[in-house]
Amino acid sequence: MHIRQDGRVALVTGAAQGIGQAIAIGLKECGATVHVADLDAAQVNAFAQANAFTAHTLDVSDRKAAAAMVNAIVAKAGRIDILVNSAGGVRGQVGRPIEEVTEEDWRAIFQANVDGAFWLAQAATGPMRKAGFGRIVNIASGAGLRPSLTGIQAYTAAKHALVGLTKQFSQDFAPHGITCNAVAPGFVRSNPSSERQWQSYGAEGQKRLIEATHTRRTGKAEDIANAVIFLASDQASWITGQILSVDGGRS
Ligand SMILES: NC(=O)c1ccc[n+]([C@@H]2O[C@H](COP(=O)([O-])OP(=O)(O)OC[C@H]3O[C@@H](n4cnc5c(N)ncnc54)[C@H](O)[C@@H]3O)[C@@H](O)[C@H]2O)c1
């Protein structure tokens, strides 16, 4: 099987960091025109410039900004074929006892991981339906299927919500040629938060995590990107509503 995305237009959010960046690069290697988006203007702009992508700086949970970005892409390219919702993560938080979690903490994680995916799908599925083709891939987590290694209640709840949204979108949009799937990564040392988490385990904890992983290694951003690229391909047209764990066999 040879995956090509020539002529396709893709939007990848959360592309100032490892996983989003690897997805954007993988889609470009398959021939897609790639737009990248993130809150972090400096990093997403530098990444876009280095790779000939178009950068967008926004908070994906801002409904108007999300719609304006999608409209700008469609105005320029005439289409949007692939939406990868990789923005999210733990927003700098660590696991804490429930009584210490503020309303702001709770909302920040839901906004980044769930609200953005919803508003972007709302904006993108109009043009996708018109074209009779679309691919939505949500980056969930092992924390969307079971309790999180991070211990962050909002992260677990938000990723479970994203899994639910993936299944609902599949039912709603597949009749129009739009598939929606999620990738649930295991532990990937792809950003400062996951690196801090890895260090916090200490030598013993790291050894335990590796031993609980069938492949005996942590993930790489490219491991996640490869799964996304398949789900975003023409070849994956009869796969929808699925949550693909990419975790070295840990689950
Ligand atoms: N690294 C891991 O081990 C791991 C494991 C499971 C799932 N994930 C998920 O993979 C995705 C990518 O994670 P990552 O490891 O590349 O690093 P990350 O979690 O730091 O990346 C998230 C990116 O999203 C951006 N972002 C956050 N909120 C945003 C918002 N409201 N609007 C726009 N951009 C926003 C951040 O600036 C950042 O660049 C995330 O959704 C994360 O939850 C990561």
Side-chain angles (χ1 to χ4, degrees):
M1 181 167 58
H2 191 54
I3 294 176
R4 293 302 308 167
Q5 296 286 5
D6 304 291
R8 299 278 186 221
V9 175
L11 168 61
V12 182
T13 69
Q17 296 284 346
I19 291 177
Q21 291 194 341
I23 295 166
I25 287 171
L27 287 169
K28 178 189 171 187
E29 284 171 357
C30 293
T33 299
V34 181
H35 289 252
V36 288
D38 205 283
L39 263 180
D40 184 335
Q43 234 167 281
V44 80
N45 280 322
F47 174 62
Q49 215 168 8
N51 291 283
F53 298 146
T54 305
H56 304 263
T57 302
L58 81 162
D59 178 343
V60 291
S61 70
D62 176 338
R63 183 186 182 193
K64 277 195 188 141
M69 171 173 63
V70 170
N71 291 342
I73 293 170
V74 175
K76 186 174 168 194
R79 56 195 301 135
I80 180 165
D81 302 296
I82 299 167
L83 167 62
V84 183
N85 289 305
S86 185
V90 298
R91 309 301 296 123
Q93 297 181 37
V94 293
R96 277 171 300 167
I98 193 167
E99 56 277 10
E100 289 178 21
V101 177
T102 67
E103 197 174 334
E104 202 179 41
D105 296 335
W106 175 262
R107 292 205 191 290
I109 287 187
F110 264 79
Q111 283 169 347
N113 289 279
V114 188
D115 296 21
F118 185 77
W119 299 132
L120 286 167
Q122 186 181 63
T125 47
M128 286 176 176
R129 281 163 89 130
K130 268 195 203 142
F133 178 92
R135 296 280 182 269
I136 300 175
V137 185
N138 294 324
I139 307 304
S141 171
L145 300 168
R146 64 192 80 85
S148 174
L149 286 175
T150 66
I152 303 171
Q153 303 89 346
Y155 187 65
T156 306
K159 290 301 195 188
H160 274 72
L162 190 59
V163 163
L165 210 50
T166 301
K167 295 176 183 176
Q168 188 64 49
F169 283 170
S170 171
Q171 177 173 284
D172 296 349
F173 303 130
H176 305 280
I178 304 166
T179 65
C180 182
N181 293 286
V183 172
F187 193 78
V188 183
R189 291 169 64 189
S190 54
N191 63 64
S193 297
S194 59
E195 195 51 44
R196 269 195 304 277
Q197 198 185 330
W198 174 251
Q199 297 308 335
S200 76
Y201 293 156
E204 265 311 299
Q206 292 172 1
K207 189 165 166 260
R208 267 199 305 279
L209 188 116
I210 295 295
E211 282 172 356
T213 306
H214 299 185
T215 54
R216 300 289 189 270
R217 68 168 175 87
T218 56
K220 293 184 286 203
E222 291 72 23
D223 294 319
I224 310 309
N226 289 337
V228 173
I229 286 156
F230 171 62
L231 291 171
S233 71
D234 286 9
Q235 286 92 335
S237 65
W238 213 44
I239 302 174
T240 189
Q242 302 306 303
I243 317 301
L244 177 59
S245 291
V246 180
D247 61 2
R250 193 163 184 275
S251 49

